[in-house]
Amino acid sequence: MNIDLAETWFLGGVEIPGRLVLAPMAGVSVQAFRRQGRRYGAGLVCSEMVSVAGIQHRNERTLGYLRVSSDEHPLAIQIFGSEPAAMAEAARMVEAAGADIVDINFGCPVKKVTKTGAGASALDDPGRACRLVEAVAEASSLPVSVKMRRGVENGSRTCLSLGPRLVEAGASSLTLHPRSAKQMYTGVADHALTAELVSLVDVPVIASGDVTSRAKAQTVLGTTGAAAVMVGRAAQGNPWVLREMMGDAREPSREEVVAELVLFMRETVRELGEHRAFGFLKKFYGWYLGRGRFPRPFKQELVMLPSLDEVETRLFAAAPGARFVLERLLSELPDPADEVLLDSLPISIYGGG
């Protein structure tokens, strides 16, 4: 089976230049992660989920998720909430921020999200789920996508009855992760369910779950008829998996790994600030340096260092040639001034002044 993963498709009126979608992942999908994903072959990238309650309360950290860089497009910003009016307000802000697509999260299984009626719990209330989609579709001119699980309970087929109703409510695309919310990330994604959903709706379906290689991506696309596949955990600290899926199976050199990690660190500091970035980045060291690329104790050494400057110094000591790779990467990035900043959004959306 040889499916062209570089083939263009459309989500609503948005042209997506490739059939790989980089998943929205909480605590991972910062702007630096998304920009890297686009460089390595993702046709569409997604923000981590943004709380509409945080938007309503003008929480500074929440609003920070709405910064958009020129090299992210096409970009979907994902929102979650349980009240139609709040979701509509968030959709308007997503559009003003410069996103290309507004995505709704009906898939998150984490209790602090589901207990509010958001995330995967919306699957147990189809009427409310449809009202949320309708509110978002009416509030914004952007195409609306919905990411969902098969259902809350193991073995559930809720997605098959709800999916067509979400399309009727205004969804231009559906993403299905065919595990139940109770499964979290255990077991195997049942893509036979994805194929059934594809047969029931006339909008593009994105297949999510267990897509870890070019062979797996092509198999899922070929057996389900999905328009695209979503890549999640396999790309954490490993943009080279996207490159492999696009047909370039070269393993990265140590210098390339270190250069990408240092660039990711610097871009994350620019986005989150030094203090937040210091703790946030620690999980990425193992993701980048694992897979046999560096000895395991090296990651532990980095985690114990007291500053990001010292982490960077130690990385360059381990792979001196990475400095030259980094220089090349930096020369290819767009000017940070091309980013949509919060103070460039309409005051009426933020309220006040």
Side-chain angles (χ1 to χ4, degrees):
M1 191 173 297
N2 189 17
I3 294 173
D4 183 7
L5 294 175
E7 183 180 6
T8 293
W9 58 287
F10 284 85
L11 197 166
V14 178
E15 182 176 1
I16 312 296
R19 302 180 74 174
L20 300 183
V21 179
L22 191 61
M25 292 179 282
V28 175
S29 299
V30 291
Q31 190 180 79
F33 182 78
R34 304 190 303 259
R35 296 174 75 190
Q36 183 186 69
R38 288 287 292 126
R39 284 192 289 114
Y40 275 86
L44 173 65
V45 296
C46 309
S47 76
E48 61 182 295
M49 59 184 186
V50 182
S51 164
V52 300
I55 289 177
Q56 278 192 309
H57 292 100
R58 307 302 186 245
N59 178 274
E60 183 178 356
R61 180 174 295 192
T62 301
L63 296 179
Y65 295 137
L66 302 183
R67 290 187 173 93
V68 178
S69 181
S70 62
D71 58 343
E72 292 186 75
H73 300 287
L75 165 70
I77 290 182
Q78 186 182 83
I79 58 176
F80 74 97
S82 58
E83 296 298 329
M87 292 286 280
E89 179 184 5
R92 287 189 287 269
M93 183 171 284
V94 165
E95 182 171 9
D100 302 288
I101 297 157
V102 56
D103 186 62
I104 299 174
N105 183 306
F106 287 165
C108 180
V110 176
K111 187 174 182 180
K112 71 178 181 180
V113 172
T114 59
K115 72 180 181 181
T116 68
S121 64
L123 301 173
D124 273 347
D125 190 346
R128 181 164 54 82
C130 290
R131 289 192 295 274
L132 293 174
V133 171
E134 186 176 14
V136 170
E138 290 179 352
S140 167
S141 65
L142 299 181
V144 177
S145 58
V146 178
K147 186 174 190 290
M148 59 181 175
R149 294 230 170 188
R150 65 181 299 161
V152 174
E153 301 294 330
N154 293 339
S156 171
R157 294 170 61 84
T158 298
C159 61
L160 300 183
S161 58
L162 181 58
R165 294 182 61 183
L166 298 178
V167 173
E168 288 180 10
S172 295
S173 177
L174 301 174
T175 298
L176 178 61
H177 184 147
R179 285 183 170 92
S180 69
K182 283 194 171 180
Q183 276 183 277
M184 300 291 284
Y185 296 98
T186 63
V188 177
D190 181 6
H191 283 296
L193 208 63
T194 309
E196 289 189 66
L197 181 62
V198 169
S199 72
L200 293 174
V201 297
D202 58 0
V203 299
V205 172
I206 301 169
S208 174
D210 299 346
V211 179
T212 56
S213 67
R214 178 177 176 83
K216 185 67 174 182
Q218 292 194 327
T219 297
V220 170
L221 287 171
T223 57
T224 64
V229 290
M230 182 168 279
V231 185
R233 288 173 291 165
Q236 292 176 344
N238 188 31
W240 301 280
V241 74
L242 300 173
R243 185 168 75 182
E244 185 272 336
M245 290 182 187
M246 295 304 292
D248 183 348
R250 288 176 298 148
E251 282 294 315
S253 66
R254 288 165 62 97
E255 289 74 19
E256 188 178 2
V257 170
V258 166
E260 285 290 354
L261 175 53
V262 171
L263 177 60
F264 183 81
M265 290 165 55
R266 291 183 181 182
E267 289 292 290
T268 301
V269 168
R270 186 177 69 84
E271 181 180 357
L272 303 182
E274 181 93 21
H275 178 72
R276 280 182 62 199
F278 179 72
F280 173 86
L281 287 166
K282 288 185 176 183
K283 59 180 174 282
F284 285 88
Y285 302 154
W287 290 342
Y288 274 90
L289 304 175
R291 301 176 176 87
R293 293 168 184 162
F294 286 82
R296 183 171 296 181
F298 184 53
K299 180 204 76 170
Q300 295 302 324
E301 180 184 345
L302 297 182
V303 168
M304 298 303 293
L305 292 174
S307 72
L308 291 177
D309 283 343
E310 290 180 68
V311 172
E312 185 172 313
T313 298
R314 184 66 186 90
L315 285 167
F316 282 137
R323 293 183 183 275
F324 303 104
V325 180
L326 179 62
E327 287 176 8
R328 175 180 58 78
L329 293 174
L330 290 170
S331 71
E332 296 169 355
L333 292 180
D335 190 325
D338 292 338
E339 183 178 71
V340 174
L341 299 175
L342 299 181
D343 58 9
S344 68
L345 295 177
I347 286 176
S348 60
I349 290 180
Y350 282 93

